[in-house]
Amino acid sequence: MRTTSQPPEGGTPNDDVESYCKAKMAMILKIVMSEPTIAQKFPFVQPVQPGTFWWCACGRSKGQPFCDGSHKGTGLGPRKVEIAEAKTVAWCGCKHSKNGAFCDGSHSNLP
């Protein structure tokens, strides 16, 4: 039901306001909630010392598996990871792990 005689910005007089709003929201969500880029379809396995790490969640970093700020404007950001003891870590390379920064094998199910 239209409440004004003017169509919404970018719309036509025949546009339904609800449909217009849903379409705009879908566009906004697509921009804001960007999907991560698959950096590689296997983990980054490396020995690490205790410390704080910023794992790249967007997949755009040139310094994989860590953040270099390339996520700006994607709606995605790095994940802070605290490592308490020296060990070998399998960092997620596909950016789809259900286990955060750590590989859970999700890359095996990607197209």
Side-chain angles (χ1 to χ4, degrees), residues 21-94:
C21 290
K22 284 181 181 178
K24 278 293 193 186
M25 184 58 74
M27 287 177 17
I28 291 168
L29 287 174
K30 186 174 183 181
I31 292 167
V32 173
M33 299 184 74
S34 180
E35 284 292 313
T37 299
I38 298 170
Q40 63 184 30
K41 290 186 178 179
F42 51 92
F44 294 94
V45 179
Q46 53 188 216
V48 296
Q49 295 298 315
T52 301
F53 299 86
W54 291 93
W55 174 75
C56 168
C58 74
R60 292 165 176 79
S61 174
K62 301 290 184 251
Q64 290 293 333
F66 306 112
C67 179
D68 68 1
S70 296
H71 62 274
K72 288 184 178 37
T74 67
L76 299 170
R79 299 239 179 108
K80 183 178 181 179
V81 178
E82 299 283 348
I83 301 293
E85 59 188 49
K87 61 182 174 179
T88 298
V89 173
W91 301 101
C92 174
C94 73

